[in-house]
Amino acid sequence: MLGRRPSKPTVAVPPDGRVVGRALQEKVRPLLKSAGFDQFAGRQAWRRSEHTIDYVTFRSFTSYTAHGVGCTTYSFTGEVGVFYLCFDPDKERPKDYELTFTATLGKTLRQPVFHPYGSPTTTDRPDVWYVMEDGRNLEDCARDAATCLMSQGLPFIDRFRDPGTAFDALLNETSTRPEFGTSGVHMPGNPDSPRWREVGVAIGHLTLDDPRTPMRTAPVLRGGS
C-alpha cells in the first residue's frame, strides 16, 4: 500500500537573505524588464527617460531597524521614484536619497504580527511586508509586492517623470503616508522650503519660461493639497 505523499517542506530563509532576493527577483524583475528597466543590481532597478532616471528598490532591514519596526530582518519595504536629470545630467544610478520624487508602496496583505521594540502588543504596517523567520509566507509577500509595484509604483513613476505633471503636483500636493493598498508620496521638501523652491524652479523651467510666478501663488502655500 502506497503511503501518502509527504508535504512540501517549509522553505527556510538563510541568514544573508538571498532567498528573499531571489523570490523578489522572480516576481518583480520580469515586470520591470517589460516596462523598460534595463539596469539591475540586486533588488534595485533603473530606467532612463528623457528627463529622469526611474528607480525601484525593495529593501530589507538591519537587526537594529527590524527591532524598532517589530519585524524580521527578512521583511522588506518597496520604494520607487524619479531623479530629474536637470540636477545632474551625468547621473547614471541614483540612490534612494538622491531622488527628486519618491513613493513608498502600500501592501494589500494584512499582517497584524509586528512587535515594535519587542512590545507584546501586535500591530500592522502598510509599508512593510513581514516575512516570517522560516520563510513560509515569503511567496505571498513577493507576489503582493509585485502586484503593488504594478498598481502603484509604475503608475507613480510614469506620472512624475513628466515634468509638467510633476511641477503641477509640486504646486498642489503635499506628502502623504502609505496606507494599505495606497502608496505614500514624498514630495521634495515642505511647501516654500529651500528644497521645494529649488525643485520647482528647475523642473518648471523644463516646460515654462517663468515657473516662479505660479509658484508664488501655489495652492499648497495656502494650506491646500
Side-chain angles (χ1 to χ4, degrees), residues 131-162:
V131 178
M132 306 300 289
E133 287 282 358
D134 60 7
R136 64 181 182 270
N137 69 333
L138 175 56
E139 185 76 8
D140 290 339
C141 289
R143 186 183 301 110
D144 190 64
T147 298
C148 292
L149 174 66
M150 291 297 293
S151 64
Q152 304 168 31
L154 295 183
F156 172 88
I157 290 175
D158 289 341
R159 181 186 179 210
F160 278 86
R161 69 176 178 162
D162 175 75

Side-chain angles (χ1 to χ4, degrees), residues 61-109:
F61 304 98
T62 64
S63 57
Y64 177 82
T65 302
H67 175 68
V69 174
C71 63
T72 66
T73 55
Y74 312 124
S75 304
F76 59 87
T77 185
E79 295 180 351
V80 302
V82 297
F83 173 84
Y84 266 85
L85 291 166
C86 57
F87 293 105
D88 185 355
D90 297 322
K91 182 69 68 175
E92 294 184 358
R93 291 188 174 188
K95 300 298 184 180
D96 52 357
Y97 58 85
E98 298 177 302
L99 299 175
T100 314
F101 297 91
T102 63
T104 301
L105 302 182
K107 68 185 182 185
T108 65
L109 293 178

